Amino acid sequence: MSKEPFVVSLAYRLGSSDKYTNYKLFFHNLLNNNTYRYKKYFDVGMIVLILISVGILVYDVTNNPNPTLEFLNNIIITIIFAIEYLLRLWLCSDSSKILIDSYRRDALLKRPFRLHVAIVEIVLSKLKYMITPTAIIDLLAILPFFHALRALRLFVVFRILKLFHYTQNMHHFAQILSTKKFELYTLLTFVGLIVFVSSIIIYTMEARNPNGSIRTLFDAFYWSIVTMSTVGYGDVAPISSAGRVVAMVVIMAGVAVLAFATSIVVSAFTQKLDDIRQTRVLQKAKKLQNLYLICGYTLLSAQCADELRKLKRSVLILEDNAQRASMARIDDHLVLELSASSLLTYDMLGVDLLERTSSALLLADSDVENVYTALTIRSLSTKLNTLSILKEKRNRKKLLLAGSDRVVYTEELLAQLSHKHSTNPQAYEMLHSLRVVDSKITAGEIVATSSTVLAQIEQSRHSVIVVGVYRRGRFIFNPDRDLEIEIGSRVVIIAHTLIIEDLQRSLA
Amino acid sequence: MSATIVIFGYNELSKEIVSTMREQGEAICIYCFSDDEFQSATSEELEIYRVEVDSNFDFLRELDIKRCRFLCTIDDEAKNLFLSLSLRDLLGDNAHIIALATTAENALKLRLAGASIVVAQIQSAANTIVHLLEYPALSCFFEKILDSSDSLQVAQVSISGESKLLGSDLCRLELDGVIVLGVIRHERSEQLFVVEIDSYLLCENDTLILIANQSDLEQIR
């Protein structure tokens, strides 16, 4: 094989360079990745520059140009916008990849490398970006000659349109309207037709009337649009009877157009609102750390989510049933209307979601669904701790086989509770009160950071009952205060809530 | 002398309760409200009676109320509520009625209807799940207490007129291998935790609440 041309070697070197890749990734995240933590700061910075730029334009209208402000606007801000434009142009396509692909294609077909084809391909890919509306706006906002001529300074307003880049809501608005392209084109054609026909008719009827205000075709167009929009300034109006008949028709058409336009926008919003909400939740979910993933929203899920929220834990609910998902939203939880048993859901949430998850709670009302979800989660992560609710006792083994680390059978739990309440009602009620969140006296845990934590608790002189020490599934009841325990063990104590909090802080 | 457990309703939950209590050798009596439940319980060789939820339950008067615990476990919460009310009306204040409710709202209604203890199913399950996730040590402790086969127990000991503990200071009470959790004051039916008071002298008919292994508890008794 012949030696690679220099440009191809360069493309290979760039492609394999960590530094280059990292830079490219950094700028990609900064400009295009809405989940990137620093993007919002960049966006806010650009919005501020746009507002300063427009502010200077407004100031210049009635004041003499200030040299400092002019320098800031024409040089500094323009350079920043130009750099941003060039970065976007750089990121819009991977030139190295295009070059390498073209080289490999030619090598495979055993023909000489056609550099010009690759260059055309690269230029076309850049042009494809350059003719997009946002790129055109960006370019118009930076082209310096607009600022050189005073009349063209108005083009600074293009900078306002740049706000589309930095505000999600504007993006959503544009996306929503783009779903109704056909309806909007139809409306525009209808409006155009009415304006054209009515302008011509009114012109022919009014232009020769010496007392009329419609003298030119422009007047006719102006009147037509003002009338159709139902604004009706009244500065230009038909005076002949025939002209007034036309006006009546145009007014009625205008009302119809407005109603049609409103219905298009409203229906587009209604259809897309759920998608927008979902996207927002998705973005929020991608930022959460140590979250609890609750699969299925039932009464039990609602209670668990509330309890976890009281402990200031992040909770994300996956529920594909629209009604239940809506209930979760009403309860003010972060909810995605997606199936917990679908791999697609986890693809959407990002590959690292399960790594950021403390535990997955499979709380759907059906064992079949929970088994399916357990298997889905297990296929993605073998480490994630999963806890599943069991509805039918006979399915316990299936849930364990599917990968649930822990299975909770509520009937068994309630039977044990009922038994204890029946045999030792007062004792159990007193013990149970220790688990109630709002109790004054409660049971808590202290993680041992020292082997002599029991002696330290004793020395604190607080009124505390040390119930036991837990380590790796083993519970030592009523330990001796001199007992040296393994660091990381958990000490179960009963005390006033404030004392527990104080000990947790002081012994941490 | 152990109590007789009277269970109303025979569903999945009741079956689990019966299974737990049978292991402990408790005396059980079941009243069911449908033929299906009746047949299901008969096949398990249980002492079972078929009744209607709106019957007058006069036959319960023959029982030693103080020795009985009444468990209302009917699936239909409205019927459970009606039953709790009927039992309280019929048996008076001495009857110990335990009722199961799904939601906190129904738990409140059951309390108003006269249930002595209401086990809120959803809340208890959620509590257990959250404890399992956030407080593994506490969960382990409560699981051991709930597990009847485990030696660790929570117990109530009544202070009789002849008890050696009569007049002792609760906060300075030292019993081998036993943790004194608190006391239920007979006079006011009030719970007092050891950790919230500086001193309390035990009176007759007070109930001492202890946590200990079975063998240590037997010595105390």
Side-chain angles (χ1 to χ4, degrees):
Chain A
M1 201 171 165
S2 61
K3 197 172 176 269
E4 291 159 357
F6 172 71
V7 280
V8 178
S9 308
L10 187 69
Y12 271 121
R13 273 210 297 277
L14 283 176
S16 58
S17 162
D18 286 345
K19 215 171 178 179
Y20 176 80
T21 313
N22 287 341
Y23 275 129
K24 196 162 185 175
L25 185 66
F26 169 74
F27 286 117
H28 166 75
N29 284 334
L30 197 65
L31 296 172
N32 301 321
N33 183 359
N34 289 323
T35 59
Y36 186 57
R37 60 195 297 199
Y38 297 115
K39 185 178 185 291
K40 61 182 172 201
Y41 302 115
F42 172 77
D43 289 351
V44 169
M46 295 305 277
I47 289 169
V48 169
L49 288 182
I50 291 166
L51 294 178
I52 289 173
S53 192
V54 175
I56 293 170
L57 174 77
V58 172
Y59 174 83
D60 283 354
V61 173
T62 52
N63 300 283
N64 288 328
N66 179 313
T68 315
L69 292 179
E70 289 302 300
F71 179 75
L72 177 70
N73 195 19
N74 293 351
I75 309 296
I76 307 287
I77 296 179
T78 303
I79 287 175
I80 293 171
F81 286 170
I83 292 171
E84 189 216 359
Y85 180 78
L86 292 173
L87 284 173
R88 285 189 191 278
L89 199 60
W90 172 45
L91 292 168
C92 73
S93 63
D94 191 339
S95 304
S96 324
K97 191 175 174 296
I98 294 172
L99 260 174
I100 292 167
D101 285 349
S102 181
Y103 175 73
R104 282 181 180 166
R105 201 166 47 233
D106 288 342
L108 186 73
L109 298 172
K110 294 190 177 7
R111 65 186 179 200
F113 175 51
R114 297 175 305 166
L115 180 62
H116 64 280
V117 174
I119 290 173
V120 168
E121 214 175 316
I122 291 168
V123 171
L124 282 177
S125 70
K126 300 292 179 194
L127 272 175
K128 199 175 164 188
Y129 167 74
M130 287 170 77
I131 57 168
T132 58
T134 49
I136 292 170
I137 289 167
D138 283 353
L139 190 65
L140 290 175
I142 55 171
L143 284 180
F145 67 84
F146 284 145
H147 307 306
L149 294 168
R150 192 157 180 89
L152 293 174
R153 288 163 67 86
L154 280 174
F155 278 88
V156 171
V157 293
F158 277 109
R159 293 190 174 178
I160 295 174
L161 298 178
K162 269 170 75 65
L163 286 172
F164 272 97
H165 270 313
Y166 315 111
T167 49
Q168 280 291 300
N169 291 338
M170 297 249 196
H171 267 295
H172 290 316
F173 187 73
Q175 272 176 6
I176 288 166
L177 289 184
S178 70
T179 62
K180 293 282 172 186
K181 267 183 201 161
F182 172 73
E183 288 87 341
L184 288 171
Y185 281 139
T186 310
L187 180 70
L188 210 64
T189 313
F190 178 68
V191 171
L193 200 71
I194 297 282
V195 168
F196 181 74
V197 172
S198 60
S199 307
I200 300 294
I201 295 174
I202 206 81
Y203 177 69
T204 54
M205 289 175 176
E206 296 279 322
R208 287 186 185 173
N209 193 326
N211 300 324
S213 52
I214 300 169
R215 299 282 176 82
T216 64
L217 201 56
F218 177 77
D219 288 342
F221 271 113
Y222 171 74
W223 169 84
S224 197
I225 289 169
V226 168
T227 308
M228 182 159 234
S229 68
T230 73
V231 174
Y233 291 123
D235 54 341
V236 178
I239 53 168
S240 67
S241 299
R244 284 175 179 164
V245 170
V246 175
M248 284 189 269
V249 174
V250 173
I251 288 167
M252 280 189 282
V255 172
V257 165
L258 276 182
F260 189 34
T262 311
S263 73
I264 289 172
V265 174
V266 168
S267 75
F269 266 97
T270 314
Q271 284 168 15
K272 289 293 281 183
L273 211 60
D274 286 345
D275 291 348
I276 293 168
R277 194 165 41 204
Q278 193 93 324
T279 311
R280 286 268 165 107
V281 175
L282 211 58
Q283 284 173 359
K284 214 170 171 183
K286 282 180 179 173
K287 291 175 190 164
L288 294 177
Q289 296 291 330
N290 299 324
L291 67 110
Y292 283 107
L293 192 66
I294 296 184
C295 306
Y297 197 70
T298 58
L299 283 173
L300 180 61
S301 314
Q303 191 72 39
C304 286
D306 278 344
E307 299 273 332
L308 288 167
R309 188 157 55 184
K310 279 181 199 162
L311 296 169
K312 297 188 169 52
R313 302 289 182 264
S314 305
V315 176
L316 174 66
I317 291 157
L318 296 180
E319 172 60 71
D320 56 354
N321 178 296
Q323 204 178 348
R324 288 181 174 184
S326 162
M327 287 299 295
R329 260 179 233 118
I330 291 168
D331 292 342
D332 202 21
H333 294 303
L334 200 62
V335 56
L336 279 171
E337 207 176 309
L338 296 168
S339 167
S341 53
S342 163
L343 284 172
L344 196 67
T345 301
Y346 302 95
D347 278 350
M348 285 171 75
L349 284 163
V351 279
D352 62 334
L353 173 90
L354 297 180
E355 283 165 26
R356 290 183 284 113
T357 304
S358 299
S359 291
L361 279 69
L362 318 183
L363 304 181
D365 263 338
S366 135
D367 286 338
V368 176
E369 210 172 311
N370 288 332
V371 164
Y372 197 31
T373 308
L375 281 168
T376 307
I377 291 177
R378 218 26 100 221
S379 70
L380 292 166
S381 166
T382 50
K383 289 179 193 162
L384 179 63
N385 179 44
T386 57
L387 182 149
S388 177
I389 200 79
L390 177 68
K391 305 307 280 186
E392 304 261 350
K393 202 175 180 181
R394 61 195 156 88
N395 291 330
R396 184 192 293 269
K397 203 173 171 190
K398 287 173 195 150
L399 271 164
L400 290 169
L401 283 171
S404 288
D405 296 301
R406 189 90 200 214
V407 174
V408 175
Y409 183 43
T410 44
E411 270 73 10
E412 185 179 58
L413 175 75
L414 294 170
Q416 287 174 335
L417 283 171
S418 305
H419 176 235
K420 293 291 171 186
H421 279 304
S422 309
T423 49
N424 281 316
Q426 291 170 310
Y428 200 76
E429 190 155 15
M430 193 162 189
L431 191 73
H432 183 70
S433 71
L434 295 171
R435 298 180 80 167
V436 178
V437 176
D438 305 327
S439 297
K440 200 170 56 173
I441 305 296
T442 183
E445 287 182 7
I446 289 177
V447 180
T449 49
S450 142
S451 59
T452 56
V453 68
L454 297 179
Q456 288 174 310
I457 293 171
E458 181 87 355
Q459 283 159 13
S460 73
R461 293 178 168 270
H462 285 310
S463 194
V464 174
I465 297 173
V466 176
V467 181
V469 175
Y470 173 84
R471 182 70 182 166
R472 294 184 188 140
R474 195 165 153 253
F475 190 80
I476 305 166
F477 172 68
N478 200 9
D480 195 84
R481 300 297 176 272
D482 301 328
L483 179 75
E484 290 206 356
I485 60 173
E486 204 178 324
I487 291 172
S489 303
R490 287 167 180 259
V491 183
V492 175
I493 59 171
I494 295 170
H496 195 287
T497 318
L498 295 175
I499 293 177
I500 294 179
E501 283 171 9
D502 183 54
L503 284 172
Q504 281 168 339
R505 267 195 303 271
S506 60
L507 298 176
Chain B
M1 194 184 283
S2 68
T4 301
I5 314 293
V6 182
I7 300 174
F8 294 92
Y10 194 67
N11 48 27
E12 286 304 311
L13 179 58
S14 319
K15 285 177 192 169
E16 202 59 46
I17 293 171
V18 168
S19 153
T20 307
M21 292 185 177
R22 264 178 151 183
E23 282 169 20
Q24 301 304 307
E26 313 278 1
I28 304 165
C29 168
I30 297 168
Y31 289 91
C32 64
F33 302 95
S34 74
D35 293 338
D36 289 345
E37 283 185 354
F38 184 75
Q39 277 169 8
S40 170
T42 310
S43 63
E44 296 285 329
E45 296 177 1
L46 295 163
E47 185 187 342
I48 181 153
Y49 304 96
R50 171 81 171 84
V51 289
E52 293 301 328
V53 78
D54 53 355
S55 54
N56 58 19
F57 294 103
D58 273 344
F59 48 88
L60 291 177
R61 288 187 199 277
E62 294 165 18
L63 298 170
D64 181 356
I65 304 298
K66 286 189 177 173
R67 278 194 53 241
C68 288
R69 304 276 181 262
F70 300 92
L71 251 76
C72 305
T73 66
I74 311 175
D75 281 333
D76 185 329
E77 293 206 56
K79 285 183 181 171
N80 229 12
L81 201 108
F82 188 78
L83 176 69
S84 303
L85 204 63
S86 305
L87 292 177
R88 181 59 70 209
D89 180 37
L90 181 79
L91 307 172
D93 292 341
N94 288 330
H96 191 82
I97 304 166
I98 301 161
L100 297 174
T102 47
T103 59
E105 183 191 329
N106 285 332
L108 181 69
K109 285 180 191 164
L110 277 163
R111 278 191 195 281
L112 289 171
S116 320
I117 292 173
V118 180
V119 179
Q121 301 180 40
I122 304 285
Q123 195 169 3
S124 301
N127 232 316
T128 304
I129 288 171
V130 172
H131 268 77
L132 275 170
L133 299 167
E134 289 286 325
Y135 309 114
L138 263 177
S139 289
C140 180
F141 166 62
F142 280 109
E143 267 178 32
K144 283 169 94 61
I145 293 281
L146 275 176
D147 185 357
S148 301
S149 62
D150 198 282
S151 66
L152 193 62
Q153 290 189 1
V154 58
Q156 52 192 63
V157 175
S158 185
I159 306 291
S160 65
E162 294 88 43
S163 173
K164 287 178 190 172
L165 300 174
L166 193 67
S168 305
D169 186 350
L170 180 72
C171 300
R172 276 147 202 87
L173 207 58
E174 286 192 3
L175 304 167
D176 275 351
V178 175
I179 287 177
V180 180
L181 186 64
V183 67
I184 311 286
R185 290 180 68 181
H186 174 65
E187 287 169 9
R188 300 185 196 173
S189 296
E190 176 194 25
Q191 284 184 357
L192 276 182
F193 283 96
V194 171
V195 288
E196 65 181 326
I197 49 171
D198 294 326
S199 172
Y200 174 75
L201 300 180
L202 290 170
C203 307
E204 193 176 348
N205 292 327
D206 278 352
T207 307
L208 205 55
I209 309 296
L210 311 168
I211 308 170
N213 283 310
Q214 178 72 29
S215 53
D216 293 318
L217 276 174
E218 274 163 15
Q219 282 187 358
I220 302 284
R221 279 166 173 156

